[in-house]
Amino acid sequence: MDEDSSSISRVLSVGPVPDHIAFIMDGNRRYAKKRNLLDGAGHRSGYLALMNMLKYCYELGVKYATIYAFSIDNFRRRPEEVQSTMQLILEKIEDLIKEESMVNQYGVRIYFLGSLKLLSKPVRLAAERAMVATSGNSKSVLSICLAYTSSDEILHAVQECCGEKWDEGSALESKGAGNGLVFLKGNENGKIKPSIVVKDLEKHMYAAVAPDPDIIIRTSGETRLSNFLLWQSANCLLYAPPILWPEIGLWHLIWAVLDFQRNFSYLKEKTKLS
Amino acid sequence: MVELLVVLHIPIHQLHLMQDFLKMQLNRILKYGNETQELLKWASRSGNLGLRVLWLILHFAVTIWYFLLGVVQSFESFLIACDILTKYEALDISKVRYLAMVIDSEEAQELSKVFELLQWVADIGVKSVCLYDPEGVLKKNKEPITQRFSSANLSEEAAVNGRLVTRRNLTLEFVSFEDGKEAVAKAANYLFVKHYANGTKEKSDFTEPQMAEALGAIGSGGAEPDLLLIYGPTRCHLGFPAWRLRYTEIVHMGPLKSMSYGSLVKAIFKYTMVHQNYVTSSCGTSMMRKIDLTDAASIVCILLRMFFFDCRTKVKRYLLACMSN
């Protein structure tokens, strides 16, 4: 399998290779039902599929990979299911930090994107440990979206920008250099200078650690983005193969990359225009 | 030739549909021809010759696959439009409360195509449509488009391609790239003025309803569409406002110049079926797959009927007519 993937990588590298691929790993539970497995077994098969896909990506030369591991909406599932998923996530984060894991083999730096304060303490601490342990790696990047939604990310960025502007304004005011342009005094209107721009928001997005994705792959044939990377996917190819996540393999990735290469000049032109 | 067509009892609108079908295949050949040129340019850069040849062969195989798939899909659209594949008539349009369409800005310049597409959408029964193109071409042409589909023209009828159509009322919204990221920046400034401007920092985080209210206040509010159809060369939403795309189903329809009534009906029908299955079962995907297989079986049956039964009868009639003359 490794020989196959490295020969295919050499052929695909003739054309433009995507810099960043994102995955929505949909279909683990349906896979478990289809194969009459226990509930958590679908997610475990999904983890194995994920490790394979990441290896193929990094061997192909894709530097950034982002995965949608757990959405804020998923907290609404049954508490036992959320608990067992969190347990699995904790276990797998510990596995990733180990010396012999794929992460160190490919020099992967891990980031966790999302409202980590919504996670339980053990998971949050494990995530922080993983980020510190891999901070020295620089060959590739893996962004794991945990307790993440795009709308929460946008709100967070807006909140941070407002806080930043307020701090700037307070600093000016305290130095006596403020001239009423940052804050309204009393109820006066119209003297505010709009100062938050798109660049400020993008700086505060969780996903600012990586460039915008080139391809988003969502399995199980669903055609929604489900609140994932909505801000970053303006000029991104969306690919939705009708297989369940644990069934994904090298050929699906190859198909996605071939599609990307066929549409490369169009997507590049659209990125320049925006 | 006209006698042949009259004897074969082919309605005029089906003739137009056949013409459109053939034009679509020609456009398809031209499109893939251009793509092949792009690929050849890329492959002519320096590097291992063997790898470049293998790469071109791989892409050539993909192009053949997409071409054949495109022919089958456009033939299916032709059958739907001719009312031969009748299962799509059972479309429950009430499930599509708000339809959005992303159109490539270059293609959106051809307003006649946009009018035709909107007419089809109105004929299917959709009441509210959001039109998006990144550069705002459709926004600039808001007047003529809105006038055509406003309530004043409700009772007007016209013959379009041999089919009598009634102009219907459509509520239209025009959106462009600046209603996406730029609008969120403006909403951020609005929220800053509202919550921070009195000189004290508010402790609580902003909520989604507050953000929605801010977007509405700056003129970029609007409902989240149920279904988004992309008319362009690539399956890419081209910057449709992020805040309104969270759970929207996204379907790629191909370039605007290859648009067809049949593929529009099929896409909306599939959405209503999958949406229905979220209520009845958790395996929406397997239902979608069954529809595709049924479609393929229907096409094969119709081909058999057409080529081995109906055509034989009609050709016999023509020959008899010629002999009697």
Side-chain angles (χ1 to χ4, degrees), chain A residues 167-225:
Chain A
D167 290 339
E168 273 173 26
S170 302
L172 282 171
E173 288 276 310
S174 61
K175 280 185 200 163
N179 49 7
L181 277 180
V182 177
F183 298 123
L184 281 172
K185 297 282 185 237
N187 285 323
E188 290 173 67
N189 271 325
K191 289 198 181 151
I192 277 286
K193 196 175 121 185
S195 52
I196 299 173
V197 291
V198 171
K199 272 209 177 86
D200 297 328
L201 289 170
E202 294 196 322
K203 220 170 48 187
H204 289 289
M205 292 280 166
Y206 295 133
V209 296
D212 287 350
D214 295 303
I215 310 175
I216 294 181
I217 300 177
R218 178 174 188 156
T219 48
S220 78
E222 303 291 349
T223 56
R224 302 180 304 278
L225 283 170

Side-chain angles (χ1 to χ4, degrees), chain B residues 35-45 55-56:
Chain B
E35 265 181 30
T36 310
Q37 275 184 343
E38 290 282 336
L39 295 170
L40 285 168
K41 262 192 231 167
W42 196 275
S44 62
R45 298 176 187 206
W55 183 78
L56 280 171

Side-chain angles (χ1 to χ4, degrees), chain A residues 68-87:
Chain A
Y68 202 7
F70 197 87
S71 160
I72 294 178
D73 297 332
N74 293 151
F75 280 116
R76 286 193 237 133
R77 288 182 181 170
R78 290 174 297 123
E80 317 80 63
E81 195 185 333
V82 174
Q83 173 68 18
S84 75
T85 310
M86 284 294 145
Q87 191 54 43

Side-chain angles (χ1 to χ4, degrees), chain A residues 10-12 14-16 30 33-34 73 76 117 149 151-152 154-155 158-159 162-163 165-167 182-185 192-198 201-202 212 220-227 230-231 233-240 242-244 247 251 254-255 258-259 261-267 269-270 273-274, chain B residues 31-32 35 38-39 42-43 48 51-52 54-55 58-59 62-63 65-66 104-106 134-135 177 180-182 184-189 191-193 196-202 204-208 211 230 232-240 242-243 245-251 274 278 282-285 288-289:
Chain A
R10 288 183 64 205
V11 176
L12 286 178
V14 169
R30 270 171 278 180
K33 239 187 229 174
K34 190 170 147 185
D73 297 332
R76 286 193 237 133
K117 62 180 190 268
T149 55
S151 32
D152 180 69
I154 293 171
L155 270 178
V158 167
Q159 189 78 56
C162 288
K165 295 298 163 192
W166 190 89
D167 290 339
V182 177
F183 298 123
L184 281 172
K185 297 282 185 237
I192 277 286
K193 196 175 121 185
S195 52
I196 299 173
V197 291
V198 171
L201 289 170
E202 294 196 322
D212 287 350
S220 78
E222 303 291 349
T223 56
R224 302 180 304 278
L225 283 170
S226 294
N227 227 332
L230 302 177
W231 181 275
S233 56
N235 298 305
C236 168
L237 182 69
L238 309 173
Y239 174 53
I243 37 100
L244 302 172
E247 295 166 347
W251 285 101
I254 290 167
W255 192 266
L258 287 171
D259 241 349
Q261 292 182 339
R262 287 158 56 83
N263 293 292
F264 179 72
S265 46
Y266 176 80
L267 291 169
E269 192 193 308
K270 293 298 158 191
L273 284 173
S274 58
Chain B
K31 177 194 167 203
Y32 290 129
E35 265 181 30
E38 290 282 336
L39 295 170
W42 196 275
N48 183 312
L51 286 176
R52 284 185 280 153
L54 280 172
W55 183 78
L58 206 53
H59 271 287
V62 172
T63 304
W65 164 258
Y66 274 123
D104 176 69
S105 292
E106 227 174 271
E135 290 164 43
F177 191 78
K181 295 184 180 182
E182 296 283 348
V184 173
K186 285 184 195 158
N189 285 299
L191 287 168
F192 179 78
V193 166
Y196 287 64
N198 57 7
T200 58
K201 190 174 178 176
E202 286 199 9
S204 56
D205 290 342
F206 294 136
T207 61
E208 288 187 20
M211 187 69 192
I230 300 175
T234 314
R235 188 159 180 265
C236 165
H237 66 72
L238 301 176
F240 189 88
W243 198 259
L245 202 51
R246 293 172 286 183
Y247 305 102
T248 305
E249 299 283 342
I250 301 172
V251 179
V274 172
Y278 285 133
S282 61
C283 293
T285 312
M288 272 183 75
R289 277 202 209 152

Side-chain angles (χ1 to χ4, degrees), chain B residues 147-158:
Chain B
Q147 224 176 13
R148 187 115 166 192
F149 292 95
S150 73
S151 53
N153 294 325
L154 249 179
S155 55
E156 219 179 290
E157 285 186 343

Side-chain angles (χ1 to χ4, degrees), chain B residues 19-307:
Chain B
Q19 267 181 350
D20 290 341
F21 171 75
L22 293 168
K23 263 191 222 163
M24 218 184 287
Q25 304 329 305
L26 192 61
N27 283 333
R28 190 163 278 123
I29 292 169
L30 290 170
K31 177 194 167 203
Y32 290 129
N34 288 335
E35 265 181 30
T36 310
Q37 275 184 343
E38 290 282 336
L39 295 170
L40 285 168
K41 262 192 231 167
W42 196 275
S44 62
R45 298 176 187 206
S46 59
N48 183 312
L49 181 65
L51 286 176
R52 284 185 280 153
V53 167
L54 280 172
W55 183 78
L56 280 171
I57 290 172
L58 206 53
H59 271 287
F60 189 61
V62 172
T63 304
I64 299 276
W65 164 258
Y66 274 123
F67 178 76
L68 292 173
L69 187 69
V71 171
V72 170
Q73 285 173 342
S74 35
F75 184 65
E76 188 190 23
S77 303
F78 165 74
L79 294 176
I80 297 170
C82 290
D83 305 322
I84 296 173
L85 267 178
T86 53
K87 72 166 193 240
Y88 297 102
E89 285 171 9
L91 184 81
D92 182 5
I93 200 63
S94 62
K95 293 202 164 66
V96 184
R97 289 158 304 181
Y98 199 29
L99 178 71
M101 298 202 284
V102 168
I103 303 179
D104 176 69
S105 292
E106 227 174 271
E107 294 200 289
Q109 315 241 359
E110 228 186 297
L111 278 186
S112 57
K113 282 279 184 196
V114 176
F115 287 147
E116 196 179 357
L117 180 62
L118 287 173
Q119 184 61 55
W120 290 343
V121 163
D123 284 346
I124 291 170
V126 175
K127 301 271 182 262
S128 305
V129 175
C130 174
L131 284 172
Y132 173 88
D133 79 278
E135 290 164 43
V137 168
L138 295 172
K139 239 189 209 178
K140 287 180 199 142
N141 290 290
K142 188 175 169 175
E143 283 263 342
I145 300 175
T146 325
Q147 224 176 13
R148 187 115 166 192
F149 292 95
S150 73
S151 53
N153 294 325
L154 249 179
S155 55
E156 219 179 290
E157 285 186 343
V160 177
N161 285 345
R163 283 179 114 154
L164 204 62
V165 293
T166 311
R167 293 207 201 281
R168 294 183 201 277
N169 188 20
L170 266 184
T171 311
L172 294 168
E173 185 192 356
F174 294 84
V175 177
S176 64
F177 191 78
E178 63 200 21
D179 295 304
K181 295 184 180 182
E182 296 283 348
V184 173
K186 285 184 195 158
N189 285 299
Y190 173 91
L191 287 168
F192 179 78
V193 166
K194 192 171 176 186
H195 297 273
Y196 287 64
N198 57 7
T200 58
K201 190 174 178 176
E202 286 199 9
K203 295 241 180 324
S204 56
D205 290 342
F206 294 136
T207 61
E208 288 187 20
Q210 283 174 321
M211 187 69 192
E213 190 242 317
L215 285 166
I218 55 120
S220 290
E224 194 165 325
D226 300 304
L227 177 62
L228 184 114
L229 302 177
I230 300 175
Y231 282 94
T234 314
R235 188 159 180 265
C236 165
H237 66 72
L238 301 176
F240 189 88
W243 198 259
R244 300 171 64 182
L245 202 51
R246 293 172 286 183
Y247 305 102
T248 305
E249 299 283 342
I250 301 172
V251 179
H252 181 220
M253 306 296 290
L256 190 69
K257 60 176 176 256
S258 314
M259 69 182 194
S260 67
Y261 178 75
S263 58
L264 177 66
V265 167
K266 184 178 175 182
I268 295 178
F269 181 82
K270 269 186 160 172
Y271 167 77
T272 59
M273 290 304 289
V274 172
H275 190 74
Q276 179 184 303
N277 281 313
Y278 285 133
V279 176
T280 55
S281 96
S282 61
C283 293
T285 312
S286 56
M287 179 60 84
M288 272 183 75
R289 277 202 209 152
K290 277 180 198 161
I291 289 171
D292 283 334
L293 287 172
T294 320
D295 288 347
S298 304
I299 292 171
V300 167
C301 289
I302 284 157
L303 279 171
L304 284 171
R305 242 186 68 209
M306 280 179 71
F307 291 108

